[in-house]
Amino acid sequence: MIPLPLPGDDDAAESMARMLRVDHAGEYGAQRIYAGQLAVLKNDAAVGEIRTMAAQEEAHLAEFNRLLVARRVRPSALLPFWHVAGFALGAGTALLGSKAAMACTVAVESVIAEHYANQINRLPQSEAALGATLTKFRAEEMEHHDTGLAHGAEATPAYPLLTAAIRRGCKAAIWLAEGV
Ligand SMILES: [Fe+2]
Ligand SMILES: [Fe+2]
């Protein structure tokens, strides 16, 4: 989601800063969601799969940590909130069962994959390396999405309601983290 440009907000450096800030916040939140799931689903059959996804989120976050420093972009001021909200979303859905946790993954990753696709389309030609990074991460988010479906996400009660609510929350979080 791209908020309407504000006066003085339209230079390339500022739009790149917003882009990296929201991606960093998103990967930070993703890592916290999987941490919340793992805290609850200690002995579930899906734990191995969730650990694999969590390890990829760690790598995504590490890359955005590096990019924020390299490009002198401040992180989202809401990181303490994403810390708690991400964990609560992961743990809260996992408490409903591993299929609900997988439904959460499907919902979150579908929004993130769309978000990365939008960014990749908007990237200037001079940002080929960043484009390759985003393309790789997007492919991994799509794998997470498909892993969620393969583990019975759609069998969770109230799947359409649950995923619609989580998708709305993620879109609101993206909108917030671009600016704040
Ligand atoms: Fe990620
Ligand atoms: Fe992911």
Side-chain angles (χ1 to χ4, degrees):
M1 190 188 311
I2 309 164
L4 291 173
L6 300 169
D9 201 20
D10 54 356
D11 75 333
E14 178 57 20
S15 92
M16 179 56 66
R18 291 168 74 90
M19 184 174 143
L20 295 174
R21 180 176 305 126
V22 68
D23 291 355
H24 174 263
E27 296 297 350
Y28 183 88
Q31 182 228 24
R32 292 296 292 161
I33 290 170
Y34 288 109
Q37 292 183 356
L38 287 167
V40 172
L41 299 172
K42 293 191 178 76
N43 302 309
D44 194 273
V47 159
E49 214 60 273
I50 296 172
R51 285 223 174 88
T52 303
M53 296 192 285
Q56 286 177 320
E57 303 301 358
E58 297 265 0
H60 298 175
L61 178 59
E63 176 60 11
F64 282 108
N65 274 328
R66 190 191 70 73
L67 284 164
L68 287 200
V69 173
R71 303 204 185 198
R72 298 169 186 272
V73 173
R74 70 159 177 84
S76 168
L78 298 173
L79 285 189
F81 176 71
W82 308 131
H83 188 87
V84 175
F87 191 89
L89 178 60
T93 48
L95 284 168
L96 300 173
S98 68
K99 289 185 168 59
M102 291 296 177
C104 170
T105 295
V106 169
V108 170
E109 301 292 11
S110 67
V111 174
I112 301 302
E114 283 168 23
H115 167 76
Y116 278 142
N118 287 336
Q119 286 192 342
I120 292 162
N121 288 336
R122 285 162 47 210
L123 266 188
Q125 299 244 310
S126 55
E127 292 286 357
L130 182 57
T133 298
L134 297 183
T135 301
K136 174 174 186 283
F137 290 1
R138 179 175 186 272
E140 289 171 355
E141 312 302 9
M142 287 304 298
E143 282 172 26
H144 301 170
H145 169 273
D146 295 348
T147 297
L149 288 177
H151 281 78
E154 291 161 305
T156 198
Y159 174 81
L161 269 177
L162 182 67
T163 49
I166 294 171
R167 282 176 54 89
R168 266 199 306 280
C170 288
K171 288 180 179 180
I174 287 172
W175 181 81
L176 261 175
E178 278 184 343
V180 192

